[in-house]
Amino acid sequence: MSNLRKEDIITLLKYLDFDIMAEEVCDSIYDLDINNEEQQLQVIRTAIVPAYRDFNPLEKESIKKVLGICLQEDVLLDDIFQRISFPFDNEIIDKKIFLENIYKELFDGQRS
């Protein structure tokens, strides 16, 4: 597996961790269906995009690279997602699509 650092994905996903996220963010996304694409995008825009803006350029590049690897290669994502206590009633069914939506929101769909 080419230089995949799971910690980089966890760095981003932790902003969806019930134990870490701000209460007002949790309240605004708690009732959303994480498996509904439009609501999933709302979750990403509410919890992940603002946090990503605060990362330094090196962290941003690292996250972009790791997301790209996760989308291009056959990467087992279950163990990464199990480390996060998501505040949703349902488990994220298609983790790859979820990461793809994060990628699109952060990088406007541009793959390098």
Side-chain angles (χ1 to χ4, degrees), residues 7-85:
E7 292 76 27
D8 291 327
I9 293 289
I10 292 169
T11 297
L12 192 60
L13 293 180
K14 75 179 181 187
Y15 292 99
L16 288 174
D17 193 311
F18 183 77
D19 298 326
I20 296 173
M21 78 171 53
E23 189 175 335
E24 60 273 8
V25 173
C26 185
D27 290 345
S28 68
I29 65 173
Y30 185 77
D31 290 327
L32 297 176
D33 179 356
I34 193 62
N35 294 304
N36 171 289
E37 185 178 4
E38 204 47 52
Q39 292 182 35
Q40 188 178 93
L41 291 172
Q42 188 177 342
V43 167
I44 293 166
R45 291 174 188 142
T46 301
I48 293 181
V49 172
Y52 176 81
R53 289 185 190 127
D54 292 337
F55 291 168
N56 70 45
L58 188 61
E59 290 170 320
K60 288 180 177 181
E61 188 57 38
S62 177
I63 286 170
K64 184 175 184 178
K65 179 193 255 179
V66 171
L67 277 171
I69 290 169
C70 286
L71 295 175
Q72 292 171 352
E73 296 182 9
D74 188 22
V75 175
L76 189 59
L77 298 172
D78 288 340
D79 62 327
I80 295 171
F81 279 73
Q82 287 174 353
R83 296 188 196 179
I84 307 295
S85 300

